[in-house]
Amino acid sequence: TLTALTLAAVFTVRAEDLHVPANYPTIQAAVNAASDGDTIHIAPGVYAGQTTITTKKLSLIGQPGAILRAVPGMARIDAHEPWVGILGIRDRSDVSVRGLTFEGEHLAASGGDVLFGVLNLNSAGSVEECRFVGFRENAPGTGYGEAMRFYNDLQNATMVSVRVVGNVVVDSYAGVSVLGSSSNPSVTFWISDNTFTGVGPASHEGSRASAGIRIGPGATGEVKRNAINGYSYTGLPSPEFKAPFSFGILCVDVDGYINGTLLPLEPIVFEENVFRDNQVHLMLALGNGSTVLNNSFMGNAPGVYPGGIHVSGQNIKITKNRFNDLENGIFLLGNEPDFLNTVITPLGIADDVQLIDNRFCDVANPINMQSQATATEQGTLLCPFPEPVLDIAPAVLLCWPEFEDGYLVESAPALDGPWTPSTATPFQEAGQTCIAVPITGGQQFFRLRKP
């Protein structure tokens, strides 16, 4: 028995809490000492310089006032790319980051380096409740700055999971990029409840078109309840678009766009986001199978070709969105040989896009359809909107945890059935999914069922 107990003790590995600077003077020293599953707690203070994490599973938690600050001369995270960053995560790591402030100090180099707050390469992870500021240049040049990037681009890469929740990004060229492999889906993501604020209207935005959120091929997931505003560019063309563009959300195969082999995207859900004063609120090129649901698009900032949604691809549904104070509402791309007569690759054809129950108020051109584009439209409303018809009837409010996704609500007159699906529309309330169900036709019992 003693031998068995001794062996059990030897093979039991307990996650530990490491404290900076109480136990370790720097974050890098704590990372080097940490084992998989450990949590590094970072006390208030300024931590200048770079930290890299390689092939580890860790949590980094900052107390209020914990600041990670960029300094000149930081090393490139990847030897093959001009990428420098405050926190570099790579090589099949899985790192959770929470409660930290990242300060870029406007150190995006004029030599072309891209400055990141968090650069996650071929790894899983999450960034939650963090603040990012100053990821851009101090003076116009050829550098670029981005708060966060998740890039899992290995050939035949295995799937990784990414979460970006509750962060604030200001004074930076770009918010977050999620980019997968061109050969197969390799990233599943959840981007929600963040605030992204651009630096526009501006006559300079670095070496790339700026965007609050950028998604490329090989990445599939959901973008929900984000506030995205102030991405507007009025200067010289960028390498990607050969026209002065900024985007609230940019979803396109940028590399393919430049070299002429544009790839379709994986399905993405955009829901309950608020776009305000961006040049192009949402660009979705070859967004096959995607859904744009219940978003608000308000106001265009200065710049060429302003609009709410620019879209191409198949099996796309755009429904129950609100468009206010815009030049263009929904722009259905038709694979013109040139986009503004300047670009390299056509952006694809909008093929039978479903436009359902969208509302437009003070929009000069609600729906624009280029040659070859097709769409099915129903329920479109232009302001002044008709008064809603309100019905007062007995009802029951049903709620369940939001993370229990994909369940079907059924009702029945008795416990033994017959059970029929409910047609009520779910909504989010205090972290729960809810429906309001009229009690009619003897339907007195309700249940959740996994289809």
Side-chain angles (χ1 to χ4, degrees):
T1 303
L2 179 60
T3 302
L5 289 174
T6 302
L7 289 173
V10 169
F11 290 104
T12 298
V13 178
R14 297 184 60 185
E16 294 187 3
D17 292 315
L18 290 72
H19 296 267
V20 178
N23 304 134
Y24 299 90
T26 66
I27 300 171
Q28 187 67 66
V31 167
N32 294 343
S35 301
D36 282 352
D38 288 351
T39 297
I40 298 174
H41 299 271
I42 304 170
V46 175
Y47 302 86
Q50 186 178 56
T51 299
T52 59
I53 302 174
T54 303
T55 321
K56 286 190 175 183
K57 183 175 182 179
L58 302 174
S59 294
L60 272 61
I61 300 177
Q63 298 179 20
I67 300 171
L68 277 61
R69 181 174 292 168
V71 297
M74 293 188 301
R76 291 182 173 181
I77 303 298
D78 187 307
H80 304 289
E81 299 287 351
W83 297 340
V84 299
I86 296 175
L87 178 59
I89 302 166
R90 55 178 303 153
D91 298 341
R92 297 303 172 201
S93 293
D94 186 348
V95 178
S96 172
V97 180
R98 178 158 54 89
L100 292 166
T101 294
F102 293 82
E103 296 183 348
E105 295 289 281
H106 298 175
L107 289 177
S110 60
D113 283 351
V114 182
L115 172 67
F116 296 97
V118 175
L119 178 58
N120 183 306
L121 299 177
N122 307 315
S123 299
S126 65
V127 180
E128 302 188 32
E129 301 175 14
C130 292
R131 178 179 173 83
F132 297 83
V133 59
F135 288 88
R136 63 180 182 88
E137 296 166 288
N138 190 46
T142 58
Y144 193 63
E146 192 168 290
M148 296 164 274
R149 176 172 292 186
F150 297 83
Y151 198 8
N152 188 28
D153 68 331
L154 297 175
Q155 193 77 6
N156 299 316
T158 57
M159 185 72 76
V160 299
S161 178
V162 167
R163 284 176 54 86
V164 179
V165 178
N167 303 286
V168 175
V169 177
V170 297
D171 191 31
S172 301
Y173 286 145
V176 59
S177 293
V178 182
L179 310 169
S181 170
S182 60
S183 62
N184 61 286
S186 62
V187 181
T188 178
F189 62 83
W190 176 267
I191 302 173
S192 72
D193 303 289
N194 305 282
T195 298
F196 301 101
T197 302
V199 298
S203 60
H204 180 75
E205 62 168 8
S207 61
R208 288 180 176 267
S210 66
I213 299 172
R214 176 184 163 200
I215 300 170
T220 182
E222 300 187 23
V223 180
K224 287 190 174 183
R225 299 185 301 275
N226 300 281
I228 307 163
N229 61 89
Y231 289 90
S232 172
Y233 178 47
T234 58
L236 296 175
S238 65
E240 297 108 318
F241 286 96
K242 301 301 179 184
F245 273 120
S246 279
F247 305 86
I249 298 180
L250 173 61
C251 302
V252 64
D253 175 17
V254 171
D255 292 335
Y257 185 69
I258 295 174
N259 62 33
T261 57
L262 193 68
L263 295 175
L265 304 176
E266 299 300 318
I268 306 167
V269 174
F270 305 90
E271 185 174 357
E272 297 181 355
N273 301 286
V274 176
F275 300 80
R276 191 186 299 272
D277 297 332
N278 302 295
Q279 183 180 349
V280 175
H281 289 299
L282 171 59
M283 168 67 81
L284 180 60
L286 293 184
N288 299 348
S290 293
T291 299
V292 184
L293 169 65
N294 198 26
N295 302 278
S296 295
F297 301 87
M298 297 180 288
N300 281 130
V304 300
Y305 223 48
I309 303 174
H310 292 61
V311 63
S312 68
Q314 301 176 340
N315 192 28
I316 296 172
K317 181 180 288 187
I318 301 175
T319 180
K320 297 183 179 180
N321 300 283
R322 297 164 298 280
F323 301 82
N324 296 88
D325 189 25
L326 301 170
E327 181 173 332
N328 298 290
I330 301 173
F331 204 102
L332 302 165
L333 299 172
N335 209 24
E336 290 186 349
D338 293 306
F339 189 67
L340 294 180
N341 299 316
T342 55
V343 302
I344 301 171
T345 307
L347 289 175
I349 298 173
D351 184 7
D352 194 27
V353 175
Q354 304 297 302
L355 306 177
I356 304 170
D357 297 335
N358 296 291
R359 294 189 171 210
F360 301 86
C361 193
D362 296 327
V363 179
N365 303 294
I367 299 175
N368 299 264
M369 190 177 303
Q370 288 187 336
S371 175
Q372 299 187 59
T374 61
T376 300
E377 180 186 354
Q378 67 182 56
T380 298
L381 287 178
L382 305 178
C383 68
F385 304 128
E387 292 294 330
V389 178
L390 300 179
D391 187 19
I392 300 176
V396 60
L397 180 66
L398 304 174
C399 297
W400 58 95
E402 185 178 346
F403 57 80
E404 297 290 354
D405 199 14
Y407 278 83
L408 178 70
V409 179
E410 295 182 329
S411 62
L415 285 175
D416 57 354
W419 293 93
T420 58
S422 171
T423 59
T425 301
F427 61 92
Q428 304 298 319
E429 180 72 27
Q432 294 185 313
T433 302
C434 302
I435 60 171
V437 184
I439 304 174
T440 59
Q443 303 301 301
Q444 300 292 326
F445 296 90
F446 303 89
R447 72 180 184 183
L448 287 177
R449 184 178 65 83
K450 191 75 170 179

